[in-house]
Amino acid sequence: MVNLERRDVLASVKWLRANKPHASQKIFGVGASMGAAALICAAADESPEGQAIDAVAVYGTFDDLVLTERAVSRRGFPPVMRQVVDLFAIPMAGAHVGSDLTKFKPASVIGNIWPRPVMIIHGVGDE
């Protein structure tokens, strides 16, 4: 899973465990939108830090970045521009961050969090 933001979450867990051992007996992650996707990927990570996240609650996140981009382009761009946006948006963003974002799919790793609890809050009107 290519998700550089998950490293921020993992580094936070590592810092917390090293500097606040009594306060980090149980670590519960809460994230919204892109932060929620990063949290899912961090909790699914096989590292000691990823496995130290005891439960996850996410709000308004996405399951697949490419599908999310396409839904946004359908709502925000005229038909003539959609093909251009769909063709270039994710690859350009990936080049900007130095990562292949076409493979960023939190849904593909969320099962790795099991058997730890996961709560997903999402509006029915939000694609």
Side-chain angles (χ1 to χ4, degrees):
M1 167 60 52
V2 177
N3 172 248
L4 300 178
E5 290 82 8
R6 88 177 190 299
R7 294 181 188 170
D8 295 332
V9 177
L10 296 171
S12 298
V13 170
K14 185 174 185 172
W15 182 92
L16 184 62
R17 294 175 77 199
N19 293 287
K20 304 285 184 180
H22 294 319
S24 63
Q25 295 297 312
K26 293 281 186 185
I27 299 174
F28 303 104
V30 178
S33 191
M34 187 64 165
L39 176 59
I40 289 168
C41 294
D45 195 275
E46 294 179 359
S47 68
E49 291 77 23
Q51 297 303 301
I53 300 171
D54 294 296
V56 170
V58 295
Y59 172 77
T61 193
F62 56 88
D63 61 349
D64 180 317
L65 189 57
V66 171
L67 295 179
T68 300
E69 177 277 321
R70 288 193 178 135
V72 169
S73 75
R74 297 298 170 273
R75 286 192 313 259
F77 292 95
V80 128
M81 291 295 299
R82 288 181 194 155
Q83 281 186 308
V84 174
V85 171
D86 289 347
L87 185 61
F88 292 110
I90 298 297
M92 286 179 67
H96 178 73
V97 300
S99 180
D100 182 1
L101 296 178
T102 62
K103 293 178 175 45
F104 186 31
K105 301 174 184 178
S108 69
V109 298
I110 196 165
N112 297 344
I113 299 173
W114 184 87
R116 295 168 287 161
V118 175
M119 179 172 67
I120 301 170
I121 303 166
H122 205 284
V124 294
D126 185 353
E127 296 177 28

